[in-house]
Amino acid sequence: MSTAREQPIFSTRAHVFQIDPATKRNWIPAGKHALTVSYFYDAARNVYRIISLGGAKAIINSTVTPNMTFTKTSQKFGQWADSRANTVYGLGFASEQHLTQFAEKFQEVKEAARLAREKSQDGGELTSPALGLTAHQVPPSPLVSANGPGDEKLFRSQSADAPGPAERERLKKMLSEGSVGEVQWEAEFFALQDSNNKLAGALREANAAAAQWRQQLEAQRAEAERLRQRVAELEAQAAAEPPAVSEKEGPSQSLEQLEALVQTKDQEIQTLRSQTSGSREAADTEREETQQKVQDLETRNAELEHQLRATERSLEEARVERERARAEVGRAAQLLDVRLFELSELREGLARLAEGAP
């Protein structure tokens, strides 16, 4: 597709979508980034087209007809149906103002197409877009009004500032390198985000394990305290004096029985003491192990938090660098659009001068 004979009359940037031909309901994005969408006027065929290029491929090549309608479906999204292409195009803009400007230009171009069709049916022939279009049909852009075709000095200035082949190649190279760099930064951003999610998950697991170990430690401490109280009760019971023997039972209570009872109580006390000592040592050992594990987890948590902060800093630096690259690419794209508009105006002025020359 060649646009050498066509004149750009309006350009903007938007995310381009096409309707899914299978479902007729879902949108299919044309790419990950916003593209330049332009209105062109074909003076040879007296038609208007909406064109958007993705590299060397025409993403949108829609001829505007009087029966087309551009519909705003949200504050930043609009669509129109192209029966010739048998599809529906959708555009997502950065702001509502850009959407409004595109919609107003669509109405103007649609009206101009209707008038052009009526004049063509009446036998009228438009030899030049400047002669065939009135001011309200295709209003000049700020660039055109600032460099009007009636001033030869301004045209000379435009020809002096027009970009040469070397500058155009340099701009194309900058745009290509900017797109590649942006893709690399986005890949790095997603990798850092995935690493950040993994670190956050590991941190949550470590905190859950630490909480579980703290609960086990508290349970062991409670059990040790219960055993201590039991030992104290038994010691108090053993230290108490034996009950007084009544006068009736005194002669029948022998000294051997009392000694045997005391020995039995002593054995019970020793058994309880050994059990308590063993449980206490096991509890202390387990408590020390648990404390060591808690300390290790806290150290690991601190390391993970440090890594997380470093990852966040790297992510922020990558985001700032990507924004800077996007700004540079945007400025280069704007400069290229300005140069293309100026070149188009220069071509039109030269054509008029050639027509007016004797």
Side-chain angles (χ1 to χ4, degrees):
M1 180 189 63
S2 174
T3 59
R5 65 183 180 183
E6 294 177 283
Q7 305 173 16
I9 57 178
F10 178 81
S11 293
T12 185
R13 293 186 67 82
H15 290 271
V16 180
F17 299 86
Q18 278 187 270
I19 200 70
D20 188 351
T23 62
K24 297 296 184 181
R25 298 182 63 180
N26 299 326
W27 289 107
I28 300 176
K32 297 174 61 178
H33 311 291
L35 301 175
T36 299
V37 183
S38 303
Y39 288 94
F40 280 84
Y41 173 68
D42 189 342
R45 296 190 299 164
N46 194 23
V47 296
Y48 298 85
R49 291 195 297 167
I50 301 175
I51 296 175
S52 179
L53 300 178
K57 180 181 177 182
I59 305 299
I60 299 177
N61 185 6
S62 177
T63 301
V64 180
T65 60
N67 58 350
M68 282 186 176
T69 302
F70 184 81
T71 305
K72 296 180 182 179
T73 58
S74 68
Q75 292 183 349
K76 298 181 181 180
F77 193 87
Q79 64 185 46
W80 78 95
D82 189 339
S83 59
R84 295 184 180 181
N86 193 23
T87 188
V88 179
Y89 295 105
L91 297 179
F93 295 89
S95 65
E96 185 177 2
Q97 180 182 2
H98 289 83
L99 172 61
T100 302
Q101 291 176 351
F102 187 89
E104 292 175 352
K105 185 62 64 176
F106 192 95
Q107 290 298 119
E108 295 173 3
V109 170
K110 176 181 173 181
E111 180 66 17
R114 184 186 66 81
L115 294 176
R117 174 180 293 184
E118 291 177 356
K119 289 186 178 182
S120 176
Q121 292 174 354
D122 293 340
E125 184 176 355
L126 302 179
T127 60
S128 171
L131 297 176
L133 296 178
T134 60
H136 72 278
Q137 292 173 13
V138 184
S141 65
L143 292 174
V144 177
S145 62
N147 300 286
D151 195 339
E152 294 183 6
K153 294 182 179 179
L154 291 178
F155 272 112
R156 294 193 185 102
S157 176
Q158 288 178 355
S159 63
D161 295 336
E167 185 176 357
R168 285 197 297 271
E169 290 298 326
R170 184 178 64 83
L171 290 174
K172 290 180 181 179
K173 184 177 180 181
M174 287 176 60
L175 289 173
S176 176
E177 292 177 352
S179 300
V180 173
E182 190 173 358
V183 170
Q184 293 176 349
W185 287 325
E186 286 190 355
E188 185 177 356
F189 170 76
F190 287 125
L192 290 173
Q193 191 176 25
D194 184 56
S195 176
N196 187 15
N197 293 334
K198 290 181 180 179
L199 290 174
L203 184 60
R204 287 193 294 269
E205 292 178 0
N207 290 332
Q212 184 178 3
W213 288 333
R214 289 191 184 97
Q215 292 177 357
Q216 294 178 358
L217 180 60
E218 293 298 330
Q220 293 294 337
R221 288 177 178 174
E223 181 67 17
E225 185 64 26
R226 187 185 63 80
L227 291 175
R228 289 193 189 95
Q229 292 178 358
R230 179 59 179 167
V231 170
E233 291 176 359
L234 291 175
E235 289 179 349
Q237 184 179 358
E241 294 181 359
V245 181
S246 61
E247 293 179 358
K248 294 181 179 180
E249 295 178 353
S252 61
Q253 185 70 36
S254 63
L255 182 60
E256 290 80 4
Q257 292 177 347
L258 292 175
E259 290 178 352
L261 181 60
V262 170
Q263 290 177 358
T264 301
K265 294 296 183 182
D266 289 339
Q267 290 177 358
E268 291 180 359
I269 291 172
Q270 292 296 331
T271 301
L272 289 174
R273 283 181 175 176
S274 61
Q275 291 178 356
T276 303
S277 176
S279 299
R280 186 181 302 172
E281 291 177 357
D284 292 340
T285 302
E286 187 172 358
R287 180 178 59 188
E288 291 177 357
E289 293 177 354
T290 303
Q291 289 177 349
Q292 183 64 34
K293 290 179 180 179
V294 170
Q295 291 177 357
D296 294 341
L297 283 174
E298 289 176 351
T299 304
R300 177 60 178 166
N301 289 344
E303 294 176 355
L304 290 175
E305 289 177 356
H306 178 72
Q307 293 178 2
L308 184 60
R309 286 192 294 269
T311 303
E312 290 176 350
R313 287 194 299 269
S314 300
L315 190 62
E316 181 65 20
E317 292 175 357
R319 186 187 65 79
V320 172
E321 185 65 20
R322 185 180 61 177
E323 292 297 331
R324 184 187 65 78
R326 282 183 175 175
E328 292 180 357
V329 172
R331 288 194 295 270
Q334 291 177 359
L335 179 59
L336 183 59
D337 290 339
V338 169
R339 297 302 187 188
L340 289 175
F341 276 118
E342 291 178 351
L343 185 60
S344 174
E345 289 297 323
L346 175 60
R347 187 185 301 114
E348 181 182 356
L350 293 175
R352 291 183 179 181
L353 289 175
E355 291 176 359

